[in-house]
Amino acid sequence: GTTAVLTMNRPQARNALDEQMREDFTRLIPQVRDDRAIKAVVLTGAGGHFCAGGDIKSMQAAVAGKQDVFDSRNRMLGLHRWFDELLDMEKPVITAVQGSAFGAGLSLALAGDFVLAAPSAKFCCVFAKIGFVPDLAGMYLLPRLVGLQAAKELAFTARVVAAPEAQQMGMVYKITSEDVLADALAFAERFASAPTEAMGYTKRVMNRAFETQRDEIYQQEALAQTLCRESAFHQEAIARFVAKQPPLFQWQD
């Protein structure tokens, strides 16, 4: 339909991020972003797991023989570029989580505007176990979703959080069935007739709301509303309202 599905497909490694997968994200995310026929995006993993985080063996191979510490820094910054494009995608992004969402996989899960979790889903900010700090925006996303103290506890303990607790903490929008991909596709299809541009602008501004001054939000609001007022969607929606016809977009519970 109108939904793009991105599937992390290394089930033999619980979909751990290797160099090829990183390159695929770099290539595919702009394609999905720029395709106007796509109204929503579902990100999931193959083989019963979402993503186990970074592939340690792949990371070691990537840095083997490199003496310059800035090579590692540039590699991380390369990750941030495509991750930011996913995080700021001006379309609804739904993450369908089954099994493990550990480390960078946790960050990928939390990049969703809506995190749907199977009962088997497990979340872990695992980095402390190998002497790392949370990466792929983990230190940015976690405090905003669960609060500062809870985020520190998750990072310091590296404990595994089951789906019900993750929902209670604010990481998970909804616990669905074990067929979480089908549930996510049904959820995403609700956006097929949505005002994508208006929602996209709302998302972009809200993603920065915690670090943006109120006056700047006002400026963004004024600009967005001016653009939306001239949009074809708004004109059609108003015409339908006046004619007492069914709305273009109505959320289906």
Side-chain angles (χ1 to χ4, degrees):
T2 60
T3 303
V5 181
L6 297 177
T7 305
M8 294 176 282
N9 191 24
R10 298 186 67 224
Q12 74 282 5
R14 293 192 299 169
N15 304 316
L17 286 164
D18 65 353
E19 292 300 313
Q20 183 60 55
M21 194 182 293
R22 296 161 196 246
E23 291 174 10
D24 290 340
F25 270 122
T26 301
R27 174 175 53 87
L28 290 170
I29 290 174
Q31 290 182 22
V32 171
R33 178 197 64 207
D34 296 338
D35 189 338
R36 292 179 61 85
I38 293 171
K39 299 294 186 178
V41 181
V42 171
L43 175 63
T44 193
H49 289 282
F50 185 73
C51 175
D55 188 308
I56 300 297
K57 293 180 180 178
S58 173
M59 287 190 286
Q60 291 302 106
V63 300
K66 294 182 178 179
Q67 302 300 315
D68 192 340
V69 69
F70 287 100
D71 288 336
S72 294
R73 175 178 178 269
N74 290 335
R75 184 170 174 273
M76 286 300 304
L77 292 175
L79 288 176
H80 296 157
R81 280 188 281 274
W82 63 256
F83 185 79
D84 272 352
E85 289 187 339
L86 174 65
L87 198 61
D88 288 330
M89 176 105 50
E90 292 190 5
K91 301 174 182 183
V93 175
I94 299 101
T95 48
V97 183
Q98 186 181 34
S100 300
F102 283 19
L106 173 62
S107 295
L108 281 167
L110 300 184
D113 301 304
F114 300 94
V115 182
L116 303 188
S120 66
K122 298 178 293 183
F123 303 84
C124 184
C125 189
V126 71
F127 300 94
K129 290 188 176 181
I130 57 171
F132 268 6
V133 300
D135 63 17
L136 209 62
M139 290 189 281
Y140 179 89
L141 292 170
L142 267 178
R144 282 161 173 76
L145 288 169
V146 306
L148 182 57
Q149 184 169 252
K152 289 177 181 177
E153 187 260 343
L154 292 174
F156 293 176
T157 64
R159 68 181 180 88
V160 176
V161 179
E165 185 184 3
Q167 184 181 34
Q168 184 179 25
M169 296 180 79
M171 287 190 282
V172 168
Y173 172 70
K174 187 176 182 180
I175 299 173
T176 66
S177 71
E178 205 57 46
D179 192 358
V180 68
L181 176 56
D183 297 328
L185 288 171
F187 186 84
E189 195 59 29
R190 298 177 185 180
F191 295 102
S193 60
T196 306
E197 289 80 9
M199 286 186 174
Y201 213 114
T202 302
K203 174 177 175 177
R204 178 166 289 275
V205 175
M206 282 188 171
N207 276 358
R208 290 156 178 78
F210 289 104
E211 60 263 20
T212 304
Q213 293 292 325
R214 184 177 58 192
D215 182 65
E216 178 60 26
I217 295 291
Y218 286 168
Q219 296 299 321
Q220 292 295 324
E221 175 190 305
L223 173 60
Q225 206 70 307
T226 301
L227 292 171
C228 289
R229 186 171 286 112
E230 301 302 318
S231 70
F233 187 99
H234 175 71
Q235 300 299 326
E236 175 66 17
I238 291 300
R240 284 172 173 260
F241 178 81
V242 171
K244 297 184 179 180
Q245 296 176 340
L248 280 174
F249 173 66
Q250 185 163 307
W251 188 253
Q252 301 296 320
D253 290 325

